[in-house]
Amino acid sequence: GENVEQHPSTLSVQEGDSAVIKCTYSDSASNYFPWYKQELGKGPQLIIDIRSNVGEKKDQRIAVTLNKTAKHFSLHITETQPEDSAVYFCAASYPYGGATNKLIFGTGTLLAVQP
Amino acid sequence: DSGVTQTPKHLITATGQRVTLRCSPRSGDLSVYWYQQSLDQGLQFLIHYYNGEERAKGNILERFSAQQFPDLHSELNLSSLELGDSALYFCASSSPRVAGNTIYFGEGSWLTVV
C-alpha cells in the first residue's frame, strides 16, 4: 500500500548540532522524494528534493540521501540554528498515469533547536 | 510566497453547513491537489485535478467534492459538515515533469466547525 514512515516524531538538538530525520517508503515505483518545512500557521515549504536517479543531494546546510534498495531516505541538517525549528515532513511520490503523481507524506518531525 | 493562493484563510461554521474553499494555482501550473491536515492524521491526500479533469482520489469523503475550472482555479466543497471536519485544508499545484513533479503548497484554509 501507499505508506511513508517517518522517525523520530520529535527531535531536540542544541544550536550548532546536526539533526537527522529518516523516512521509509513502501512503493518501489516512487521516484521523487521531497522534504517540506512547515512553520506554525503556514503551509508546507519545499526545502530540498531528490529524484530516484540520484543518491545524495546537498544545498548549503541541508542534505538528503536516498537508498532505493532499502527504500530509505534521510534529511540531514548541519550547524542547526534556532530558525530551523519547525515541523519537517518527508514525502514520496506515487505515480499514476503519464507524468503525474501524488505525494504521500510522513507523519512529521517536530524539530526544536535550543539556543 | 509559493504562488499558490487560497481563500478564505480562516472560516468558522456550524455543523451541517456547507462551505467552499478556493484555490488559484501558480501561474502555468495545470495540476491542483487538495490535502487535509489535522492533528491526528497529518497531511492526507484528498484529490488531484489536472487541466480540469480529475486524475486521482485519496481519502476524500463523499460529502466532499472538488472541481477545476477552465481558468485552472479549483474549489473544494465541503457539505454536511461535522466537528471532525475541522482541519487545515491545503491546495498545492505543480507542472508535470518527466521524473516527477515539484509540488508547491498554499498557506491553507483553516476550517473550524462548531
Side-chain angles (χ1 to χ4, degrees):
Chain A
E2 303 167 350
N3 187 46
V4 176
E5 293 187 1
Q6 182 172 348
H7 299 280
S9 56
T10 59
L11 180 59
S12 181
V13 300
Q14 290 296 124
E15 183 176 358
D17 287 350
S18 295
V20 180
I21 303 171
K22 298 182 178 182
C23 289
T24 303
Y25 62 98
S26 59
D27 193 330
S28 56
S30 295
N31 57 14
Y32 174 61
F33 308 91
W35 286 86
Y36 289 85
K37 175 183 180 182
Q38 187 176 22
E39 297 176 330
L40 193 62
K42 295 193 173 184
Q45 178 188 8
L46 179 71
I47 56 172
I48 195 168
D49 57 13
I50 192 168
R51 302 187 189 276
S52 59
N53 57 344
V54 175
E56 184 173 357
K57 182 177 179 180
K58 190 173 182 180
D59 182 4
Q60 298 182 355
R61 296 186 296 109
I62 294 174
V64 58
T65 59
L66 171 64
N67 182 331
K68 282 221 75 179
T69 302
K71 297 181 187 171
H72 289 169
F73 58 115
S74 300
L75 177 71
H76 304 253
I77 306 174
T78 59
E79 300 173 24
T80 54
Q81 301 168 4
E83 51 264 39
D84 294 330
S85 297
V87 178
Y88 291 81
F89 290 96
C90 64
S93 68
Y94 284 83
Y96 47 85
T100 56
N101 58 51
K102 62 184 177 184
L103 292 180
I104 301 299
F105 283 83
T107 49
T109 296
L110 175 60
L111 174 64
V113 180
Q114 308 297 332
Chain B
D1 184 3
S2 67
V4 179
T5 304
Q6 290 188 246
T7 57
K9 293 191 187 304
H10 299 93
L11 188 57
I12 301 174
T13 190
T15 54
Q17 295 299 304
R18 172 191 170 93
V19 298
T20 297
L21 309 180
R22 194 178 191 278
C23 169
S24 293
R26 296 187 324 148
S27 177
D29 284 357
L30 302 180
S31 276
V32 169
Y33 305 80
W34 286 98
Y35 282 82
Q36 179 192 56
Q37 185 176 38
S38 55
L39 284 176
D40 59 344
Q41 293 290 324
L43 277 160
Q44 297 290 312
F45 170 72
L46 295 179
I47 199 164
H48 170 212
Y49 275 83
Y50 176 79
N51 202 21
E53 294 186 3
E54 181 184 306
R55 294 302 303 273
K57 269 186 175 181
N59 302 320
I60 188 167
L61 300 172
E62 287 192 8
R63 300 183 285 108
F64 296 179
S65 65
Q67 53 184 329
Q68 186 180 26
F69 296 87
D71 67 352
L72 302 177
H73 91 271
S74 178
E75 292 180 355
L76 179 66
N77 300 296
L78 315 175
S79 62
S80 303
L81 286 167
E82 302 174 359
L83 296 177
D85 298 327
S86 296
L88 258 173
Y89 291 85
F90 286 107
C91 171
S93 75
S94 72
S95 291
R97 299 172 62 178
V98 174
N101 294 349
T102 300
I103 297 177
Y104 295 92
F105 282 78
E107 294 295 292
S109 292
W110 184 274
L111 173 66
T112 302
V113 182
V114 297

